[in-house]
Amino acid sequence: MFPKPKLRLELRDVCHKSTSLFLKNFDSSKDFAELVETVLTRLYSIPDHKDVSTTGPIPAHTMIPGTRSVTLILRDMDGVAYTTGTDLDSDHKEIHLSLSYLNHVASQKPGYSARTEILGVVCHELVHCFQWNGNGTCNGGLIEGIADWVRLNAGYIPPHWKREAGKSWDSGYQNTGYFLDWIEKSRGIGSVYKINQALCNKEYKNDKFWDHLFGKDVGSLWKEYAESLKKSKEEESDSHGDPNLKMQIRIKKEVEGHD
């Protein structure tokens, strides 16, 4: 049973047109609590050791931050959203969501709704309320990548996201999120769980962190990931004109979790 923090909603400008957009697409009493459960489930569900795809070893005890409350604040500001601790203490979190940003959400691409974007942004920010950060030493790209990995696996995927390795592994957000998704599939279910647990009350040291968990440094893992993407594209290119081969490639990708 996961902890159930107190959840609050604060509307700084009820007359702003984006406030009504938000309220039409976000059920505060239902969606907020369900998103918290979604985040905690993906970050802290202990993998089944009997599952052959589970990576090991798994920490003996699951440690979850003692977040006691989360306040979602809608206000007019630059950017999209950010999460911070309150003046009271760091166990009380605030998510600040931009009303100005929500102005642009209403005109999303066909097939991608304002509701999906709102849920995705709030999901991402809620991860910051409940993830570990190596006592403040964790690589920022990894912090943001874990948040987008949760958003990815929750199904709130914006149309501009792409599975690619053109930047460094720690450029964060969906770029690192897809990398973590590949680690989860290639190194076993529970890999992201292990990464997050390893950041509990321990300093993050890039030269040791990844090798300790997966037996390789992060540069080698990133190179392997990039090569897997290149191979996937080559297979797709080779399949053109052969419907049977193309179907086999598509099925293989679905099994492996590729786009």
Side-chain angles (χ1 to χ4, degrees), residues 235 238-251:
E235 289 176 343
D238 291 343
S239 71
H240 288 168
D242 187 337
N244 291 327
L245 181 56
K246 190 172 183 179
M247 177 62 72
Q248 293 174 12
I249 297 297
R250 185 181 67 79
I251 294 173

Side-chain angles (χ1 to χ4, degrees), residues 12-13 16 18-19 73-79 97-103:
R12 295 277 178 91
D13 185 355
H16 196 291
S18 291
T19 300
I73 300 171
L74 270 68
R75 66 185 185 87
D76 204 2
M77 66 179 194
D78 294 332
L97 179 59
S98 170
L99 288 169
S100 300
Y101 171 73
L102 293 182
N103 273 333

Side-chain angles (χ1 to χ4, degrees), residues 7 9 22-23 26-35:
L7 304 176
L9 177 64
F22 175 84
L23 294 175
F26 190 87
D27 185 339
S28 304
S29 62
K30 180 174 179 288
D31 292 332
F32 207 174
E34 288 184 353
L35 284 173

